[in-house]
Amino acid sequence: MKHWRIEDVAWDRFDPSAAEPQVVPLVKAAAMVERNGTDYAIYLNRVFGDDPDFRQAADHWAEEEVQHGDALGKWAMLADPSWDYASAFARYKAGYQLPLDADASVRGSRTGELIARCMVETGTSSYYTALAEATKEPVLQQVCRHIAADEYRHFKLFYDHMRRYLARENISLLRRLRIAASRITESEDDELAYAWHCGNEPDGLAYEHGRCTAAYMAGAMAHYRFRHIERGMGMIFKAVGLPPRGRLSDVSAKAAWRLMQWRRQRFVARLAA
Ligand SMILES: [Fe+2]
Ligand SMILES: [Fe+2]
């Protein structure tokens, strides 16, 4: 059972004058990536082929991710009636492919796969919380709060399964840290950048990774506050098996916050050039 449905959202409260023009393209791009959850579920079903409990959970998870895409897509069409969610997503799907034929996780182990999933859910949980707090548009606030709550539950889901596999696979802390770090840096790969392109750029303009990552990241990073990074760092620590609260987590959150500001400046400069 889903925790909320698209029909539960008070769409009639949409206020076009409150929809920030800089937020609309971010929502369009996010809708693409969320809607693509079914493809990731196909991959998870292959990687966890002999684990019916997890496969069922993954299918349910994907339904929720698709709903995130549909809700964000619906909101973006209210904010920009000239935009078509279905055709933008069709373009995304045609050009961005996950490794669906894999028989084992690209992370080298099932524990690693689940740690990577925890990183993604940490990112989305923080992002939608930040977006809900940043926007003044009441419907987007409601949609982002619903999504952020789902993403946090997804984190817990993958975390619980990860603990189960960790007891079996016994991956070292260093390896877990490496997997977590590599999944975090992948946020600057094609998945989001290409979603920005398909959601926002005209058909005639060729995809260029650097330009699209800079546009997406400069816009998205502007909405974070330190508290979102602090909470996210606690989740990352928990996922790799370190104490979520304490001096190391505090120092890491402060360093991550400074790194994010610096990266954002670089993306802004890249866009200006
Ligand atoms: Fe999601
Ligand atoms: Fe999620």
Side-chain angles (χ1 to χ4, degrees):
M1 260 245 322
K2 286 176 190 158
H3 290 85
W4 59 284
R5 292 170 310 154
I6 291 205
E7 307 85 83
D8 300 335
V9 175
W11 296 103
D12 57 341
R13 289 181 62 214
F14 177 71
D15 176 1
S17 68
E20 296 86 354
Q22 71 276 20
V23 167
V24 180
L26 292 172
V27 173
K28 290 175 179 173
M32 310 286 97
V33 180
E34 296 281 346
R35 178 68 183 75
N36 213 25
T38 39
D39 262 13
Y40 212 89
I42 295 171
Y43 162 80
L44 288 175
N45 266 278
R46 293 193 63 125
V47 171
F48 293 85
D50 59 357
D51 183 343
D53 283 355
F54 181 77
R55 289 176 58 172
Q56 196 183 11
D59 287 341
H60 177 72
W61 161 84
E63 273 179 46
E64 295 194 337
E65 298 297 4
V66 168
Q67 177 166 282
H68 297 170
D70 291 348
L72 293 167
K74 186 175 164 118
W75 184 87
M77 285 197 289
L78 287 176
D80 175 4
S82 72
W83 189 69
D84 183 29
Y85 168 53
S87 64
F89 179 67
R91 197 176 158 208
Y92 182 66
K93 201 161 170 57
Y96 181 77
Q97 282 291 317
L98 287 162
L100 297 181
D101 55 346
D103 285 318
S105 170
V106 293
R107 310 289 159 189
S109 65
R110 291 183 179 185
T111 306
E113 179 62 42
L114 293 165
I115 288 173
R117 292 325 302 164
C118 285
M119 294 307 106
V120 173
E121 303 297 346
T122 299
T124 52
S125 158
S126 312
Y127 182 51
Y128 292 111
T129 303
L131 214 51
E133 291 174 16
T135 184
K136 299 262 185 297
E137 203 296 305
V139 178
L140 186 61
Q141 283 174 359
Q142 192 190 6
V143 167
C144 287
R145 283 201 192 104
H146 277 314
I147 297 178
D150 281 350
E151 310 295 23
Y152 189 66
R153 279 188 290 269
H154 295 163
F155 173 87
K156 290 204 283 189
L157 167 80
F158 291 125
Y159 176 80
D160 289 343
H161 284 280
M162 185 276 289
R163 297 289 303 173
R164 192 160 60 82
Y165 277 103
L166 181 61
R168 247 185 262 177
E169 295 178 330
N170 213 4
I171 309 288
S172 72
L173 174 63
L174 187 63
R175 247 196 103 56
R176 283 178 272 151
L177 278 167
R178 273 208 203 116
I179 291 162
S182 81
R183 184 59 190 88
I184 293 166
T185 54
E186 281 169 30
S187 62
E188 290 174 22
D189 284 0
D190 283 327
E191 187 178 35
L192 292 169
Y194 192 63
W196 174 274
H197 172 69
C198 296
N200 294 292
E201 295 187 333
D203 273 331
L205 183 61
Y207 171 62
E208 193 209 308
H209 176 80
R211 179 189 69 231
C212 296
T213 297
Y216 185 88
M217 288 295 171
M221 286 173 171
H223 297 104
Y224 284 94
R225 296 295 170 263
F226 177 67
R227 62 180 178 277
H228 306 123
I229 303 304
E230 197 177 28
R231 181 172 164 274
M233 192 56 74
M235 292 165 77
I236 293 169
F237 268 51
K238 187 178 162 78
V240 296
L242 290 169
R245 274 185 244 340
R247 208 176 128 63
L248 187 57
S249 165
D250 284 352
V251 170
S252 305
K254 282 179 188 134
W257 173 246
R258 278 197 295 273
L259 179 65
M260 181 185 266
Q261 303 311 307
W262 177 75
R263 295 289 294 153
R264 179 162 188 272
Q265 292 307 318
R266 299 251 316 216
F267 288 132
V268 170
R270 166 81 172 73
L271 284 178

